[in-house]
Amino acid sequence: MRASRMFPALAAVTAAALMTVPATAVAPSAGTAVPAEGTYYVQSATTGLNAADAGGTVEQHRPRGDEDHQQWLLRASGSDHVLESVDRPGRCLGRDGAAAGVVDCASDSAVWAVDDVGEDRHLLREPGTERLLTVRPKPSGENYPAGLGVGGASELAHWYLTPAQPVRHPLPPAGDRTLDQVSFLTTHNSYANGVDGGFAPPFINLAPNQVRGIEQQLADGVRGFSFDIHQTPDGAILCHNSCFWVSSPVALWVDLQRIVDFLNAHPDQVVTVFLEDYVDPEVLRSEIERVNGLPDVLYDPARTGVRQNGWHTMDELIAADDRLLIFTDHSRAADAAAGLTRDQFGVMYQREWTVENYWSMGPGIGGSDWACYSRWYGAGENIPLTRTEPGFRPLFVMNHFRDVPVEATARTDNANALNRAERFCQPAARKKPNYLMVDRYDVGDPAAAVASLNRYWY
């Protein structure tokens, strides 16, 4: 380990406090601040899903940008406001008894008092009452119902009014940019490249996610890597689904060593690794301990006060030699039950530090689904893309690839990555992507999309 750190005073924060992800409390009182008139998404602060006109009813749907009747024009109506459908002039988001509906904008049931409850959240309240637009409570073991309702005060009645055209701020000077203000080109299944070794049975080897090895990816400017690791008698091995029949398999430590060697040769660079993780924690720890120099560059935000104070600047990370982040998608609860958590040896639990959209846009050919919604939203867990905490913004991993990597499709998809990021995923997450993850980064110029994202801060 290094002899000194940049933030020694913060290292004493207890592990128990760092492991806690606080829920946002319902504000005790409402103010009167209202966003300026304009076009907005009405976005649940609980689920991250958008209010959409669903043929006359109002439902929460996966964010789809300017598609699917999800944009609403906020305008004054006396001392209150209406939300008029951008696609159906004269029809507004309103009330139909205990349900939300699309009603005539001239009717009393279309009018809302918009109350500010802090943290950029609002209540949409029937004037003169305490009846609020709300997500309906979910039945035990199920997702929240699609249909929206009118009910009492709770966290489910908190809404973001997310601008369809958000204000973009110039990035601070290079030395002052924090990690969550920067975007990185990231490769999906970085190891499945047909160059460094085998990653699947031969018939799957014919469809690699990448066609350049890890060292070339680093030389080309890739700064985020995703690895699937599976457990075998030889340790943590990189492969798809199963390592059975894989010829010339590559161990995780081999590719991590390539990355650490690159960082040692380029002391001004920062790299992130995402693990799709199917190994025991002891196996992963043994694998990491094989990598020469890894402890010297490993960044552990839990030990440096990030959750309390926000992400460090890139210059601070470089000066402290905190230049390698490793995330796992594994469950903390499962590790704790086994007696060894991965963050004890510097691997962070992704759900605690990032948000991530669903991984697939569809099959390898044909139409694509650009909806941008959380990978971790379902009956058993709810981590919306909009999640924030006091003083801390989770990093946003934007997945932008298909089920099967087909070169022609990847070329088209990558050429449209910026379009999807700005029209669909940035409003869905209320932040820009920090990691743009793609197949076949060598086609369609996704690096240009990352360069454009790095011109501003959402």
Side-chain angles (χ1 to χ4, degrees):
M1 297 295 289
R2 283 159 285 184
S4 62
R5 306 289 298 189
M6 285 192 64
F7 312 100
L10 295 172
V13 180
T14 65
L18 292 169
M19 289 163 54
T20 302
V21 180
T24 304
V26 177
S29 61
T32 57
V34 179
E37 293 189 355
T39 302
Y40 292 88
Y41 301 102
V42 179
Q43 187 172 22
S44 168
T46 299
T47 67
L49 304 183
N50 288 341
D53 176 358
T57 63
V58 179
E59 297 179 348
Q60 56 170 353
H61 287 182
R62 297 167 177 173
R64 293 190 62 90
D66 53 2
E67 301 176 1
D68 191 43
H69 315 295
Q70 297 183 8
Q71 293 186 345
W72 306 91
L73 176 61
L74 178 73
R75 56 182 175 81
S77 177
S79 60
D80 297 309
H81 289 78
V82 295
L83 287 155
E84 183 177 17
S85 170
V86 168
D87 302 317
R88 298 175 65 193
R91 305 294 290 174
C92 282
L93 191 162
R95 301 172 297 281
D96 183 7
V102 180
V103 302
D104 191 313
C105 290
S107 69
D108 290 342
S109 58
V111 180
W112 299 96
V114 182
D115 298 329
D116 178 15
V117 292
E119 297 182 346
D120 211 22
R121 299 179 179 205
H122 295 83
L123 307 177
L124 298 179
R125 178 171 51 82
E126 180 181 356
T129 77
E130 297 303 317
R131 286 172 21 105
L132 306 170
L133 179 70
T134 186
V135 174
R136 297 182 186 274
K138 69 175 181 177
S140 177
E142 299 182 23
N143 291 335
Y144 291 99
L148 300 178
V150 181
S154 76
E155 188 81 8
L156 297 175
H158 283 204
W159 300 92
Y160 294 116
L161 296 178
T162 300
Q165 297 295 329
V167 175
R168 298 178 182 178
H169 302 282
L171 277 182
D176 296 331
R177 296 171 189 172
T178 55
L179 182 64
D180 60 324
Q181 293 175 327
V182 182
S183 299
F184 301 95
L185 179 60
T186 303
T187 49
H188 171 236
N189 287 350
S190 317
Y191 65 95
N193 54 55
V195 175
D196 294 327
F199 61 90
F203 67 93
I204 300 179
N205 269 324
L206 296 175
N209 297 92
Q210 313 299 333
V211 295
R212 297 175 181 174
I214 298 299
E215 291 174 345
Q216 186 61 53
Q217 292 180 40
L218 286 161
D220 291 342
V222 174
R223 294 296 179 266
F225 297 83
S226 68
F227 296 138
D228 292 11
I229 53 173
H230 292 264
Q231 190 164 318
T232 77
D234 297 319
I237 303 300
L238 301 167
C239 46
H240 272 307
N241 300 323
S242 169
C243 298
F244 194 65
W245 296 118
V246 174
S247 60
S248 303
V250 177
L252 173 64
W253 77 267
V254 173
D255 276 349
L256 288 180
Q257 189 69 67
R258 291 180 170 121
I259 290 170
V260 171
D261 290 347
F262 171 85
L263 290 172
N264 288 336
H266 300 82
D268 61 342
Q269 297 299 303
V270 175
V271 171
T272 305
V273 172
F274 299 93
L275 301 178
E276 186 171 322
D277 189 344
Y278 302 99
V279 307
D280 295 335
E282 283 283 8
V283 171
L284 181 56
R285 179 166 66 176
S286 296
E287 198 78 9
I288 285 175
E289 288 175 348
R290 297 184 67 180
V291 182
N292 294 325
L294 186 146
D296 296 330
V297 294
L298 189 62
Y299 177 36
D300 185 348
R303 297 183 183 278
T304 53
V306 168
R307 193 173 298 284
Q308 293 75 30
N309 303 298
W311 294 99
H312 300 112
T313 67
M314 299 300 291
D315 272 10
E316 287 172 335
L317 296 178
I318 291 166
D321 218 11
D322 286 334
R323 297 186 294 116
L324 175 61
L325 298 84
I326 304 179
F327 293 102
T328 175
D329 69 351
H330 207 275
S331 162
R332 172 187 285 279
D335 285 349
L340 176 64
T341 58
R342 291 163 208 251
D343 55 356
Q344 290 177 249
F345 49 90
V347 175
M348 297 170 283
Y349 291 95
Q350 193 175 343
R351 288 168 174 80
E352 298 177 4
W353 298 98
T354 75
V355 293
E356 179 177 340
N357 65 306
Y358 182 67
W359 60 270
S360 173
M361 294 192 296
I365 57 175
S368 61
D369 180 2
W370 277 18
C372 216
Y373 58 100
S374 177
R375 174 186 176 186
W376 300 314
Y377 174 75
E381 64 179 347
N382 177 34
I383 304 176
L385 293 182
T386 55
R387 177 171 67 103
T388 59
E389 300 171 30
F392 166 68
R393 290 164 54 92
L395 303 173
F396 175 25
V397 181
M398 177 182 158
N399 293 313
H400 186 76
F401 49 85
R402 307 288 189 100
D403 297 359
V404 179
V406 176
E407 179 177 349
T409 305
R411 185 186 303 276
T412 300
D413 288 344
N414 291 346
N416 286 293
L418 183 64
N419 189 356
R420 183 183 181 217
E422 295 186 335
R423 285 176 53 213
F424 287 68
C425 291
Q426 286 186 164
R430 296 173 56 83
K431 57 179 77 72
K432 74 175 186 179
N434 300 108
Y435 300 94
L436 178 61
M437 188 176 295
V438 299
D439 280 333
R440 291 300 305 271
Y441 79 95
D442 59 303
V443 299
D445 200 9
V450 172
S452 294
L453 292 170
N454 277 324
R455 295 191 181 107
Y456 65 88
W457 182 45
Y458 185 100

